């Protein structure tokens, strides 16, 4: 190792001790993601968060930065997801007259949809021979991150694997809704928003707000209720099934 290389790695180790590097890297990656997203014409299959995740992964690999070091530095950014989720109550309040008119169908639809979102992942993972830890990491894949972190820790999953599952689920949910809804003749923004929120959590909600404020409000509702409902039933079901 040359003197310049050793100096670079010492500087890198020093930066990793503070959140500065992780924050700058995250913001830079997301900025690149937005630019790529707009340059490609805002396609549903390539949201900024997906591009940003790839950019971060490549940089970590190129500079031999351990994910644990990056994750430790970006902890406070993850913490900000909680207040950001709570802030979605503003569009919910603005569109409450629409939500109030449909509260019965929403309450009848959301529980089985939230259960199915976890069950089909568990069935597929079990069929492919996944370990209990992997299954616990995939079970809350449709729940918004602040709640999913708590669920994963409670049922014994891996947070890094859970985060990957959340990203993939959000992107796939957006893609499927954009492809299938027009073919099924579904144009009601309330239905589209609710589906995006239940299945695509925060990533789907961002897409819903791109559609309209109404879609965004229903997506926020679906995401919030799915998170609360899953946080209640999934740990109980996990224990009853004997996984913990």
């Amino acid at each position: 190792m040359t003197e310049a290389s050793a100096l670079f790695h010492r500087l890198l180790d020093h930066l990793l001790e503070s959140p500065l590097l992780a924050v700058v890297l995250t913001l830079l990656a997301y900025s690149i993601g937005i630019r790529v997203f707009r340059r490609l014409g805002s396609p549903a299959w390539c949201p900024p968060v997906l591009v940003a995740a790839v950019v971060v992964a490549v940089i970590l690999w190129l500079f031999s930065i351990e994910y644990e070091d990056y994750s430790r530095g970006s902890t406070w950014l993850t913490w900000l997801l909680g207040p950001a989720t709570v802030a979605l109550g503003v569009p919910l309040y603005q569109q409450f007259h629409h939500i109030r008119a449909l509260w019965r169908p929403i309450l009848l639809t959301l529980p089985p949809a939230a259960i199915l979102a976890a069950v089909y992942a568990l069935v597929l993972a079990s069929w492919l021979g996944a370990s209990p830890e992997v299954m616990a990491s995939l079970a809350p894949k449709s729940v918004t991150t602040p709640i999913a972190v708590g669920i994963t820790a409670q049922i014994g999953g891996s947070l890094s694997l859970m985060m990957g599952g959340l990203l993939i689920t959000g992107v796939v949910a957006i893609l499927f809704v954009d492809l299938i809804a027009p073919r099924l003749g579904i144009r009601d923004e309330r239905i589209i928003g609710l589906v995006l929120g239940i299945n695509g959590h925060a990533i789907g909600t961002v897409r819903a707000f791109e559609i309209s404020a109404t879609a965004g409000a229903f997506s926020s509702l679906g995401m919030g209720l799915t998170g609360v409902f899953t946080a209640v039933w999934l740990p109980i079901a996990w224990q009853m099934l004997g996984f913990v």
Side-chain angles (χ1 to χ4, degrees):
M1 181 180 294
T2 64
E3 184 177 349
S5 178
L7 179 62
F8 170 76
H9 281 88
R10 284 199 299 270
L11 177 61
L12 186 61
D13 291 339
H14 176 71
L15 290 173
L16 287 172
E17 293 176 358
S18 72
L20 179 62
L21 180 63
V23 171
V24 171
L25 176 56
T26 303
L27 295 178
L28 175 64
Y30 192 71
S31 177
I32 293 173
I34 292 176
R35 288 179 176 273
V36 172
F37 179 67
R38 291 174 177 171
R39 184 65 62 88
L40 294 176
S42 304
W45 54 269
C46 187
V49 67
L50 176 61
V51 178
V54 173
V55 170
V56 169
V58 171
I59 293 177
L60 295 182
W61 173 71
L62 286 176
F63 293 97
S64 300
I65 300 173
E66 294 293 333
Y67 172 76
E68 289 75 13
D69 295 329
Y70 165 76
S71 178
R72 184 171 58 252
S74 61
T75 299
W76 75 275
L77 287 175
T78 304
W79 178 85
L80 288 175
L81 289 171
T85 303
V86 174
L88 293 173
V90 175
L92 271 176
Y93 172 77
Q94 293 172 340
Q95 300 291 328
F96 188 70
H97 57 288
H98 290 301
I99 296 171
R100 184 171 53 189
L102 295 171
W103 69 269
R104 287 187 180 87
I106 290 173
L107 289 182
L108 287 174
T109 302
L110 189 137
I115 293 173
L116 182 61
V119 168
Y120 79 77
L122 292 175
V123 170
L124 287 174
S126 177
W127 180 59
L128 293 172
S131 66
E133 182 184 14
V134 172
M135 294 173 65
S137 306
L138 296 177
K141 66 175 183 55
S142 295
V143 179
T144 185
T145 303
I147 301 177
V149 168
I151 296 174
T152 303
Q154 188 174 358
I155 63 179
S158 164
L159 291 180
S160 57
L161 181 57
M162 179 272 293
M163 295 295 286
L166 288 180
L167 175 62
I168 295 172
T169 299
V171 173
V172 171
I174 292 174
L175 181 61
F176 268 71
V177 170
D178 276 33
L179 289 176
I180 294 176
R183 287 168 172 76
L184 295 178
I186 301 174
R187 296 180 176 83
D188 192 324
E189 295 176 349
R190 299 170 298 180
I191 297 175
I192 293 174
L194 190 65
V195 171
L196 285 170
I198 292 173
N199 296 281
H201 48 82
I203 298 176
T205 300
V206 171
R207 174 58 180 166
F209 274 108
E210 292 175 356
I211 297 173
S212 70
T214 299
F218 274 83
S219 184
S220 301
L221 178 69
M223 178 180 67
L225 293 179
T226 298
V228 172
F229 180 73
T230 305
V232 173
W233 80 266
L234 185 56
I236 295 174
W238 203 258
Q239 191 169 18
M240 291 177 62
L241 292 173
F243 288 111
V244 292

